[in-house]
Amino acid sequence: MLKPCKKKYDLGGSPLEDVGAIASHCLEKIDSEAVARFQAKLETKNYSVFAAKDLLSRPFLPAMLLHKPDEFERRWQELLGKLNPTTSRIDMGEEKVNLILYTAITAVCVCFDLWKPRSRKTPGTFLEVLLGSVLGRLLPRHKRTKFIPIPEQSESVSTDIVFTNSTATKGIVFPAKITTRERIVQPFAHQRILESVFGKGRYQSILLCVSETQRDKHSAVNEICVPGTIRLFQSYLACLSGIYYLDPPNRYLKPDVTSVIPVGSLGLFLTSALPALSRL
Amino acid sequence: MLKPCKKKYDLGGSPLEDVGAIASHCLEKIDSEAVARFQAKLETKNYSVFAAKDLLSRPFLPAMLLHKPDEFERRWQELLGKLNPTTSRIDMGEEKVNLILYTAITAVCVCFDLWKPRSRKTPGTFLEVLLGSVLGRLLPRHKRTKFIPIPEQSESVSTDIVFTNSTATKGIVFPAKITTRERIVQPFAHQRILESVFGKGRYQSILLCVSETQRDKHSAVNEICVPGTIRLFQSYLACLSGIYYLDPPNRYLKPDVTSVIPVGSLGLFLTSALPALSRL
């Protein structure tokens, strides 16, 4: 199911009907074949893990998951109707957007954890298609690509999602990652290269993520946060214009981080921050 | 055996006797318990793989491995005798240095692949101790550390091996990696941060590696090279002063790479390039 959807996306489409159908299919499979295994508390948040046979899923927030496929489908269609290409925002509440998008990506992640654990890269591809398609509908006058060619270099800067304005004078780079881990350096390094090549102001980078959680060996939930690294990179490598999560780590919402870089929920970005950027 | 050796190293020592004993012990275990499984040709080079029970080792160059422990021990002692702290070079032929160091690190890597596959990070630690200790003996007036504190930041730039001269005005950073893979961006990003913080010229970075080979699913040997990425990073992220491998990929020895960055064997570096740096 993912392949034809990815193909439409790669041809420049924003196949959100297909994206919703894939997520819904995954929710159905989870609903009928997986069992909730355990719960783990991380500060203020309660995580769950699904199990099937001897495999466990990654942790997720059950409070943010629309468990019933028909409920998800209804909300998904509602979201598609609220994508406003004129204002470049989703005309919906921040939390509602988070809930629907979190359900879509989590359904696919859990499904691959339980039944296709070897296809490790596919959930990341789905996230890229999901976010690139939503942004594509919100930025109809921008051109979407996957990389930025560098003059006189064989290598492009290969970012996940790039939108260039109609006059090709400004670009927004959206690295999209399920979690960042040791790859947190990449968006900063890419932004730095873009500034070296094109000067400051031509491109800006906004990192879009799902969460920083992972299940540890003992079936508890960990959150890997590197606030010092982010401050260091933001000060001395390059400035990102923001980091937005579906499940933002509490640690990154503290003032020592938010004073150097905007951090918030992806729903906040899609309902409030994107409209200003879209006018660039 | 590695723990006490690492402890001596972390306390500032250069425990090369221990390093040699560990490598020798690994060679003995391989010699008595592993079997050569298959050979694979990669361009001009012939690689082998060892097997034990149902596990396979990473590929290695049998022509560069001193298979017999007593032969290795003899050569190891010879190398230790040729470490010249006055000139900061090893008074030995480049190829001989490569052979001895390649044997030491390969013995440990193969041993961990076959009998401790879950300790994935240990061979990298051994490489750091091996190279940091050799460099420590060659740079007796420099101070060795593991990271560089950044003024007013909680986070240090955490490189593998750093040597600072006696007046603390110049530093050499040696990231040490068995293979680089997607981590190739790290040494460039770190050098960039150091230039942003301390200005150009205070620190230089020299990347030290074993090889870029890996075994693929079908038991052939792959070499993952990203010459375009290296050219891009070297031009627009930061300049490394060189990349040295025990088994340099042929691809990186071609003029399109060597015209932007010095690339060579680690033996070459330790017999010819280091003396000039040591006078900084």
Side-chain angles (χ1 to χ4, degrees):
Chain A
M1 271 177 110
L2 186 55
K3 262 194 183 164
C5 171
K6 176 76 164 47
K7 199 172 170 184
K8 287 181 197 172
Y9 178 81
D10 287 339
L11 289 169
S14 294
L16 286 173
E17 298 288 347
D18 301 41
V19 165
I22 291 166
S24 182
H25 174 79
C26 288
L27 278 178
E28 267 168 39
K29 193 162 166 71
I30 294 166
D31 198 37
S32 61
E33 297 177 40
V35 289
R37 177 56 61 89
F38 69 87
Q39 303 225 320
K41 206 174 156 76
L42 192 72
E43 296 171 32
T44 56
K45 296 188 247 185
N46 288 300
Y47 287 89
S48 276
V49 164
F50 277 124
K53 288 186 188 158
D54 55 344
L55 289 177
L56 294 178
S57 78
R58 68 194 69 195
F60 64 93
L61 290 168
M64 275 183 70
L65 192 79
L66 300 161
H67 289 257
K68 294 292 163 201
D70 54 352
E71 162 85 355
F72 167 75
E73 279 168 40
R74 197 174 53 73
R75 300 273 206 127
W76 183 254
Q77 290 306 325
E78 188 189 346
L79 180 127
L80 298 197
K82 303 286 186 181
L83 297 169
N84 190 330
T86 312
T87 59
S88 297
R89 64 186 294 271
I90 307 182
D91 296 326
M92 223 181 200
E94 169 187 347
E95 291 310 327
K96 232 170 149 178
V97 171
N98 286 332
L99 195 75
I100 298 166
L101 295 181
Y102 185 84
T103 298
I105 181 63
T106 301
V108 171
C109 287
V110 166
C111 246
F112 275 80
D113 290 345
L114 296 180
W115 296 290
K116 289 219 170 181
R118 279 163 176 260
S119 300
R120 282 173 54 190
K121 290 191 169 175
T122 312
T125 303
F126 179 78
L127 179 69
E128 184 185 325
V129 174
L130 167 66
L131 296 179
S133 298
V134 168
L135 291 164
R137 297 270 179 106
L138 294 173
L139 298 168
R141 286 168 300 280
H142 284 65
K143 192 184 160 210
R144 192 183 66 213
T145 53
K146 283 165 172 286
F147 50 82
I148 299 165
I150 305 295
E152 290 171 45
Q153 291 278 324
S154 61
E155 197 78 4
S156 303
V157 170
S158 163
T159 54
D160 300 319
I161 306 164
V162 186
F163 283 89
T164 313
N165 68 356
S166 55
T167 53
T169 50
K170 296 273 181 186
I172 317 171
V173 176
F174 293 106
K177 315 218 173 277
I178 290 178
T179 60
T180 63
R181 309 289 157 83
E182 71 285 354
R183 293 160 302 166
I184 186 73
V185 64
Q186 286 172 8
F188 291 92
H190 286 159
Q191 176 64 26
R192 175 79 237 181
I193 291 170
L194 293 171
E195 289 178 13
S196 298
V197 176
F198 299 104
K200 274 202 180 187
R202 170 87 171 263
Y203 287 97
Q204 60 182 305
S205 297
I206 293 161
L207 178 56
L208 308 180
C209 309
V210 177
S211 80
E212 296 294 355
T213 57
Q214 59 178 31
R215 186 162 43 76
D216 78 5
K217 280 180 207 159
H218 313 288
S219 298
V221 176
N222 275 332
E223 203 168 46
I224 311 291
C225 291
V226 288
T229 303
I230 288 179
R231 281 199 308 273
L232 179 72
F233 289 173
Q234 184 76 357
S235 303
Y236 294 112
L237 191 47
C239 262
L240 300 189
S241 301
I243 308 184
Y244 296 94
Y245 285 90
L246 282 167
D247 171 18
N250 286 336
R251 181 64 189 87
Y252 288 170
L253 297 172
K254 293 191 175 165
D256 64 329
V257 179
T258 56
S259 62
V260 297
I261 186 168
V263 183
S265 83
L266 196 51
L268 178 74
F269 177 70
L270 294 170
T271 57
S272 307
L274 185 61
L277 286 178
S278 73
R279 290 189 293 273
L280 292 179
Chain B
M1 272 177 108
L2 188 55
K3 261 194 183 164
C5 172
K6 175 76 163 46
K7 200 171 169 186
K8 287 181 197 173
Y9 178 81
D10 287 341
L11 289 169
S14 295
L16 287 173
E17 298 288 346
D18 300 41
V19 166
I22 291 166
S24 182
H25 174 79
C26 288
L27 278 178
E28 267 168 38
K29 194 163 164 70
I30 293 166
D31 198 37
S32 61
E33 297 178 39
V35 289
R37 179 55 62 88
F38 69 85
Q39 303 224 318
K41 208 175 153 73
L42 192 72
E43 296 172 33
T44 56
K45 295 188 251 185
N46 288 300
Y47 287 89
S48 276
V49 164
F50 277 124
K53 290 186 187 156
D54 54 344
L55 290 177
L56 294 177
S57 78
R58 70 194 68 192
F60 64 92
L61 290 168
M64 273 182 70
L65 192 79
L66 300 161
H67 289 259
K68 294 293 164 200
D70 53 352
E71 161 86 355
F72 167 74
E73 280 168 39
R74 198 173 52 74
R75 300 272 206 130
W76 183 255
Q77 290 306 326
E78 188 189 345
L79 179 127
L80 299 197
K82 303 287 187 180
L83 297 169
N84 190 331
T86 312
T87 60
S88 296
R89 65 186 293 273
I90 308 182
D91 296 325
M92 224 181 198
E94 169 187 348
E95 292 309 329
K96 232 170 149 180
V97 171
N98 286 331
L99 194 77
I100 298 165
L101 296 182
Y102 185 83
T103 297
I105 181 63
T106 301
V108 171
C109 287
V110 166
C111 246
F112 276 80
D113 290 346
L114 296 181
W115 295 291
K116 290 221 172 179
R118 279 165 175 259
S119 300
R120 280 174 54 193
K121 289 191 171 176
T122 312
T125 304
F126 180 77
L127 179 69
E128 185 185 326
V129 174
L130 167 67
L131 296 179
S133 298
V134 168
L135 290 164
R137 297 269 180 107
L138 294 173
L139 298 168
R141 287 168 300 280
H142 285 65
K143 192 183 160 210
R144 193 182 65 213
T145 53
K146 283 165 172 286
F147 50 80
I148 298 165
I150 304 294
E152 289 171 45
Q153 291 278 322
S154 61
E155 197 77 2
S156 303
V157 170
S158 163
T159 55
D160 301 317
I161 305 164
V162 186
F163 282 90
T164 313
N165 68 357
S166 54
T167 54
T169 51
K170 297 273 181 184
I172 317 172
V173 177
F174 293 105
K177 314 222 173 274
I178 290 177
T179 59
T180 64
R181 309 289 157 82
E182 70 287 355
R183 293 160 302 166
I184 186 74
V185 65
Q186 287 173 6
F188 291 93
H190 286 160
Q191 176 64 26
R192 174 80 236 179
I193 291 169
L194 293 173
E195 289 178 13
S196 298
V197 176
F198 299 103
K200 272 202 182 188
R202 170 87 170 263
Y203 287 97
Q204 60 182 308
S205 297
I206 294 162
L207 177 57
L208 308 180
C209 308
V210 177
S211 79
E212 295 296 355
T213 58
Q214 59 177 33
R215 188 162 40 78
D216 77 5
K217 278 181 208 158
H218 313 288
S219 297
V221 176
N222 274 331
E223 203 168 45
I224 311 292
C225 291
V226 289
T229 302
I230 288 180
R231 281 199 309 273
L232 179 72
F233 289 172
Q234 184 76 356
S235 303
Y236 294 113
L237 191 47
C239 263
L240 300 190
S241 301
I243 308 183
Y244 296 93
Y245 285 92
L246 282 166
D247 171 18
N250 286 334
R251 181 63 190 86
Y252 288 170
L253 297 173
K254 293 191 176 165
D256 65 329
V257 179
T258 55
S259 62
V260 297
I261 186 168
V263 183
S265 83
L266 196 51
L268 178 74
F269 178 70
L270 295 170
T271 57
S272 307
L274 185 60
L277 287 178
S278 71
R279 289 189 293 274
L280 292 177

